[in-house]
Amino acid sequence: MSVILKTQKLRVEFRSREMRQATKVALNGLDLEVRAGEVFGFLGPNGAGKTTTMNVLLGFVPPTSGEASLFGIDVRQPIARQRIGYLPEMTYYYKFLSAEELLRFYAKIFGLARGEADKRIDRLLKLVELEHARKRPIKSYSKGMQQRVGLAQALINNPDLLILDEPTSGLDPLGRMKVREIIQRLKDEGKTVFFSSHELGEVETICDRVAIIHQGELKAIGGVHEIIGRHTSLEKAFLEIIGFQTPPTP
Amino acid sequence: MKNIFAVAGIVIKELYRRKDFYVLFIVTILICLVMASVNIFNDAKIVRYLKEICLLLIWICSLVIAVTTTARQIPAERENRTLLPLLAKPLTRPQLLFGKFLGCWLACGLALLCFYVFFGALAATREHQWPLLDYFQAATLHWFMLGIVVAMVLLGSLVFAAPSSNNTICFVIIVGILFVGRHLDQVALTLREPLRTVVYSIYFVIPHLELFDVRDLVIHNWPLIPWLYFSLALLYALGYMAVFLAGACLVFRRKAVN
């Protein structure tokens, strides 16, 4: 399988105003490879550098050193983003638009012809189960529905690679299940999905491979079963890898 | 260009789906209709006062719409995080800025059209005439002045963190230019160096928004502005719009989006 997302010795430093211009290392020598057609889970505690990695991949943050590429193209070139879909964490889409109008707007940015855009919007609204609410303004949607609109916008260009930043964050169990089902369906369609999550149970269920990052450094990478190893679950393996000591029971 | 028009379309939709414009438009209509219903001092020329008040309200409303609509564009995109999925698509930052500018400017143009149609209808009921070319010149100059304002506020929205501070600062600058701008050269003459050079520099650098205020033309039914001067004024406005937008592009290029 070909590698479609690659980072090599990726390092990102920020200068913090709060810390009187002290340098904070957000990523330190990150090496990642995501292959075509796999669902790749990107795990780590809060502040580990997951979102920063995604921001570098999307060209929002320039790397201090190292390289990052999508489909073999440097992420700093806008053309690298032509074949990707992105769902950021906790986004509140334009409240005055309906789901259909929002998707039409994004379709215009990808230069889709009207007929093609109509077909794709119908298919996506069916996929995310929002056909019944397509004309309603987004401000009337529940959080789960908004997240599913987000997934639909990420798929409007029929991308080969999906980058999802905590797609199930803040959703109820039903909402989480629906998002999980969509990711599973995308996997069956042969899409590559790169996503971060704190829901280790769902990562265990749907991911082919995972990477665990802590304090900006890659701690483990491999198949889900490989990472679980001698542990009973991914959660236990994750806690050990990031160096968390379980307090002894009294 | 399609990306710029797509972004502009969203801005226009936002304006006509929010209540701001309708509230201002209805308030203007009500004030003017109440004033039109009485004839103080039984003066036959009272229509001039009516036209003056109506145009003053149109100017105030148009500035409020232009400044508040533009000031919230980029900060709202950042706050709601819609900037992230937008820039993750093949849309460049200058395209986003030009789209926002065009959207706000066209939205102001549509609002202005409604206001001037009402103004024309109100004046016609009293004067029984439609000096369309006068209205065209006044409205076009007004719209181009709003173009400078929109570009300036867009730049301000990238420089100042909060939309409220941007609103206040821009309103102070605009009102200051409209009231004091034309007198700065005379003020400079009364000052000593180096203050004189400073005030002169300000006089030559600021966009003279008062040049676009030709309300007297339609109030007193004066002859038309020569078309050459009219065109030069539009070019002057386009020049300032380009300068502010170039500044906004430079600031936005370095701005963190997350």
Side-chain angles (χ1 to χ4, degrees):
Chain A
M1 279 194 288
S2 61
V3 174
I4 60 171
L5 184 160
K6 192 173 181 179
T7 66
Q8 275 183 307
K9 305 262 176 272
L10 196 64
R11 185 179 172 87
V12 175
E13 292 174 3
F14 292 116
R15 288 196 182 277
S16 164
R17 275 186 198 162
E18 289 78 21
M19 294 162 70
R20 292 186 185 175
Q21 300 292 316
T23 302
K24 184 185 182 299
V25 180
L27 289 176
N28 191 8
L30 184 71
D31 289 314
L32 273 184
E33 276 190 2
V34 178
R35 298 171 201 142
E38 70 179 358
V39 177
F40 192 96
F42 195 40
L43 313 178
N46 288 331
K50 301 186 296 294
T51 302
T52 304
T53 307
M54 291 187 175
N55 285 340
V56 171
L57 291 170
L58 293 158
F60 300 154
V61 172
T64 310
S65 64
E67 286 172 21
S69 63
L70 296 171
F71 307 100
I73 304 167
D74 191 304
V75 292
R76 279 167 285 202
Q77 295 182 34
I79 190 98
R81 300 195 285 275
Q82 189 72 34
R83 288 163 64 194
I84 64 159
Y86 171 55
L87 173 71
E89 186 193 358
M90 293 207 296
T91 298
Y92 306 97
Y93 294 94
Y94 306 102
K95 293 182 178 77
F96 52 91
L97 294 182
S98 66
E100 191 179 325
E101 287 170 331
L102 182 83
L103 295 180
R104 198 173 299 285
F105 165 57
Y106 287 124
K108 272 186 197 165
I109 288 177
F110 278 105
L112 296 181
R114 199 178 169 89
E116 174 65 21
D118 286 344
K119 273 187 213 160
R120 222 173 265 184
I121 289 167
D122 289 343
R123 199 176 68 80
L124 287 174
L125 289 175
K126 198 173 172 185
L127 177 77
V128 299
E129 297 175 20
L130 284 175
E131 276 174 307
H132 62 286
R134 62 189 296 158
K135 303 273 184 201
R136 263 169 50 193
I138 292 174
K139 67 181 170 196
S140 68
Y141 285 12
S142 67
K143 176 129 180 56
M145 289 165 86
Q146 289 200 29
Q147 195 71 342
R148 280 183 277 146
V149 172
L151 261 175
Q153 67 77 27
L155 290 164
I156 193 71
N157 57 328
N158 195 18
D160 295 317
L161 168 66
L162 264 168
I163 298 177
L164 313 175
D165 194 359
E166 300 189 20
T168 54
S169 153
L171 298 185
D172 63 14
L174 185 67
R176 278 211 298 273
M177 190 192 75
K178 284 192 173 174
V179 171
R180 208 161 50 226
E181 276 176 8
I182 293 166
I183 295 175
Q184 188 65 49
R185 246 183 274 176
L186 295 170
K187 181 186 175 181
D188 295 342
E189 285 177 22
K191 305 274 185 214
T192 310
V193 182
F194 177 76
F195 81 104
S196 67
S197 179
H198 290 299
E199 301 293 333
L200 299 183
E202 78 189 14
V203 170
E204 204 174 324
T205 321
I206 55 175
C207 286
D208 300 309
R209 290 201 308 140
V210 293
I212 297 174
I213 179 177
H214 184 44
Q215 292 174 342
E217 289 181 6
L218 186 69
K219 296 292 181 190
I221 185 166
V224 175
H225 296 296
E226 208 179 311
I227 297 281
I228 294 173
R230 60 188 170 81
H231 300 280
T232 50
S233 67
L234 184 60
E235 187 174 288
K236 289 199 170 137
F238 173 81
L239 290 173
E240 190 186 293
I241 288 167
I242 63 164
F244 179 78
Q245 301 290 325
T246 320
T249 43
Chain B
M1 279 307 274
K2 65 174 174 23
N3 285 355
I4 294 175
F5 284 120
V7 175
I10 293 293
V11 179
I12 295 169
K13 265 193 187 126
E14 185 193 3
L15 181 85
Y16 73 69
R17 287 186 183 172
R18 284 175 68 104
K19 296 185 185 81
D20 316 19
F21 164 69
Y22 302 106
V23 170
L24 290 169
F25 189 52
I26 290 167
V27 167
T28 304
I29 289 175
L30 288 176
I31 293 173
C32 292
L33 288 181
V34 168
M35 299 208 61
S37 65
V38 288
N39 189 353
I40 308 163
F41 309 125
N42 205 19
D43 183 357
K45 304 269 184 186
I46 196 81
V47 65
R48 289 183 184 175
Y49 297 105
L50 182 66
K51 281 163 78 177
E52 191 166 356
I53 288 164
C54 187
L55 279 174
L56 178 68
L57 288 171
I58 291 173
W59 265 72
I60 293 169
C61 292
S62 66
L63 283 172
V64 170
I65 291 170
V67 173
T68 55
T69 305
T70 313
R72 67 170 172 259
Q73 292 302 321
I74 301 289
E77 294 271 3
R78 286 166 69 99
E79 197 182 317
N80 297 330
R81 298 167 65 89
T82 42
L83 198 57
L84 300 174
L86 206 51
L87 292 178
K89 296 185 169 45
L91 175 84
T92 61
R93 292 184 188 206
Q95 281 176 337
L96 176 67
L97 274 184
F98 285 119
K100 291 285 182 193
F101 165 75
L102 189 66
C104 292
W105 194 29
L106 288 176
C108 288
L110 290 173
L112 218 51
L113 187 68
C114 297
F115 278 114
Y116 272 89
V117 167
F118 167 69
F119 171 78
L122 186 73
T125 57
R126 293 302 179 95
E127 291 183 326
H128 308 293
Q129 57 172 345
W130 284 87
L132 288 178
L133 280 177
D134 287 26
Y135 293 164
F136 172 77
Q137 283 196 338
T140 308
L141 287 170
H142 189 167
W143 185 46
F144 272 70
M145 186 278 296
L146 290 180
I148 301 176
V149 169
V150 167
M152 186 168 75
V153 178
L154 199 59
L155 171 63
S157 72
L158 295 165
V159 175
F160 306 110
S164 53
S165 55
N166 185 27
N167 277 338
T168 312
I169 292 166
C170 287
F171 269 122
V172 169
I173 291 172
I174 292 162
V175 172
I177 291 173
L178 285 171
F179 282 96
V180 189
R182 75 181 74 189
H183 307 297
L184 280 179
D185 56 336
Q186 289 149 20
V187 173
L189 280 174
T190 63
L191 300 170
R192 288 185 181 179
E193 290 293 355
L195 211 55
R196 175 184 288 192
T197 312
V198 172
V199 176
Y200 258 131
S201 306
I202 293 170
Y203 177 75
F204 285 112
V205 166
I206 56 168
H208 284 272
L209 303 177
E210 74 278 3
L211 289 177
F212 300 87
D213 181 3
V214 291
R215 281 177 289 164
D216 286 345
L217 178 84
V218 280
I219 293 168
H220 303 291
N221 299 324
W222 285 347
L224 286 174
I225 303 164
W227 291 100
L228 177 67
Y229 297 150
F230 174 76
S231 309
L232 285 174
L234 301 189
L235 280 176
Y236 175 84
L238 288 173
Y240 269 100
M241 286 182 223
V243 168
F244 285 127
L245 284 175
C249 284
L250 281 175
V251 176
F252 197 36
R253 206 176 59 173
R254 293 154 184 262
K255 200 100 179 160
V257 293
N258 52 324

